[in-house]
Amino acid sequence: MLDNPLNMTGRTILVSGASSGLGRGIAQVLAGLGARVVVHGRDLPRINETLATLPGAGHIGTVFDLANYDGIGEWVADLVGEVGALDGIVHSAGILTVAPVKVLSSRILGSMTDVNVHAAISLARALRVPAHRTSQASIVFISSVMAFAGTAGQVAYSATKGALVALTRSMAMEFAKEGIRVNCIAPGAVQTEMVFKYKRTVPVDQMKALEARHPLGFGTPEDIGYAAAYLMARTGKWITGSTLVVDGGYLAQ
Ligand SMILES: NC(=O)c1ccc[n+]([C@@H]2O[C@H](COP(=O)([O-])OP(=O)(O)OC[C@H]3O[C@@H](n4cnc5c(N)ncnc54)[C@H](OP(=O)(O)O)[C@@H]3O)[C@@H](O)[C@H]2O)c1
């Protein structure tokens, strides 16, 4: 019998943005496969809600505002002091602000870039420190189909999510000699708080059209959790620099 290559027993994974949506679903799948999960967010009650749903033992919560990306190194060092070396980071925390170009201020662009891009790079830098990681460490960034397809009002969001796809390739090249794999997931629309907020900013018809553009319908956080597990676990050991599209068929049209 084949040992289950998705088994993550004994691995410790930090999931950013796990107080909600995709991050919560990713944390649940990884914990279900045996990993110990460090559940990150800003909102402690919602972090605790995630922790309460996780199977297995040893999971912990951590609060940190990733907009303070220069403080990420110190925060991760403290976390490692508490939980030991990490086997990986999934960076799911992200912001989507709908802003057509005519109102796209540097403040809006800056806040999205801080969390979606700067924090991603700072998290990767922190994981790369030898004392912070095990020999099988890997990184997964959560991008979006908006890296590849356009939608009015999402110029800044597309820019930040496209940056993740591009930086994944170069980072994979830089980190390969240390055995650290770097991959990305580009999800289509998944029913989360982010999509509920988006729904409130666009006409009903636009939302119906968005759903119709997903031949398999909207996704669930668990769908993205399975993809993250595949990339992080032994199943992904020869995969680096890749972006896995998980979108119910959105980009196939
Ligand atoms: N939902 C979709 O359809 C979809 C599709 C493609 C890609 N994505 C991407 O998937 C990721 C997760 O999205 P989601 O739908 O799960 O969104 P969500 O439900 O709104 O959750 C966003 C998460 O990011 C965290 N976060 C936001 N700003 C933060 C900051 N400054 N510091 C620390 N944490 C911060 C939030 O933490 P707190 O709530 O605790 O503050 C929350 O846990 C994002 O990167 C998004 O771009 C989503």
Side-chain angles (χ1 to χ4, degrees):
M1 284 284 277
L2 180 72
D3 269 354
N4 180 1
L6 282 164
N7 187 344
M8 300 197 72
T9 304
R11 298 208 190 186
T12 303
I13 311 287
L14 166 62
V15 182
S16 80
S19 54
S20 180
L22 267 54
R24 179 175 284 174
I26 292 165
Q28 287 165 341
V29 171
L30 295 177
L33 291 166
R36 176 165 62 142
V37 182
V38 180
V39 174
H40 159 267
R42 285 173 303 184
D43 183 330
L44 188 57
R46 299 208 318 148
I47 289 171
N48 288 334
E49 273 173 32
T50 300
L51 284 168
T53 68
L54 300 186
H59 314 295
I60 68 154
T62 176
V63 175
F64 186 83
D65 186 346
L66 293 171
N68 169 25
Y69 52 84
D70 283 335
I72 286 176
E74 203 180 324
W75 165 59
V76 170
D78 287 349
L79 269 181
V80 168
E82 198 177 337
V83 300
L86 298 172
D87 294 284
I89 296 179
V90 181
H91 178 44
S92 184
I95 315 177
L96 161 63
T97 306
V98 175
V101 171
K102 65 180 174 200
V103 297
L104 180 54
S105 62
S106 53
R107 189 187 57 77
I108 295 173
L109 180 58
S111 65
M112 289 170 81
T113 307
D114 287 352
V115 178
N116 298 359
V117 183
H118 281 293
I121 296 170
S122 296
L123 282 165
R125 187 187 293 120
L127 182 73
R128 193 186 195 182
V129 174
H132 292 175
R133 60 178 162 89
T134 65
S135 57
Q136 57 195 351
S138 111
I139 299 166
V140 172
F141 296 125
I142 305 298
S143 174
S144 163
V145 289
M146 286 303 123
F148 305 106
T151 295
Q154 298 206 19
V155 167
Y157 186 68
S158 294
T160 63
K161 292 301 176 177
L164 283 178
V165 171
L167 73 82
T168 291
R169 296 191 198 102
S170 290
M171 196 181 282
M173 296 302 99
E174 239 179 88
F175 286 20
K177 56 183 175 299
E178 284 140 280
I180 305 171
R181 297 181 300 100
V182 186
N183 291 295
C184 191
I185 297 171
V190 176
Q191 300 264 30
T192 66
E193 193 66 28
M194 182 177 279
V195 167
F196 296 138
K197 276 187 205 148
Y198 178 69
K199 201 172 174 176
R200 292 197 284 272
T201 66
V202 298
V204 177
D205 286 357
Q206 197 170 319
M207 206 58 204
K208 283 201 176 129
L210 178 65
E211 185 160 16
R213 278 219 50 191
H214 289 75
L216 299 183
F218 287 142
T220 65
E222 184 188 64
D223 294 323
I224 309 307
Y226 290 145
Y230 171 72
L231 291 171
M232 292 235 110
R234 195 151 46 88
T235 39
K237 71 183 172 54
W238 203 48
I239 306 175
T240 197
S242 287
T243 293
L244 181 57
V245 173
V246 184
D247 68 348
Y250 181 93
L251 289 178
Q253 297 162 76

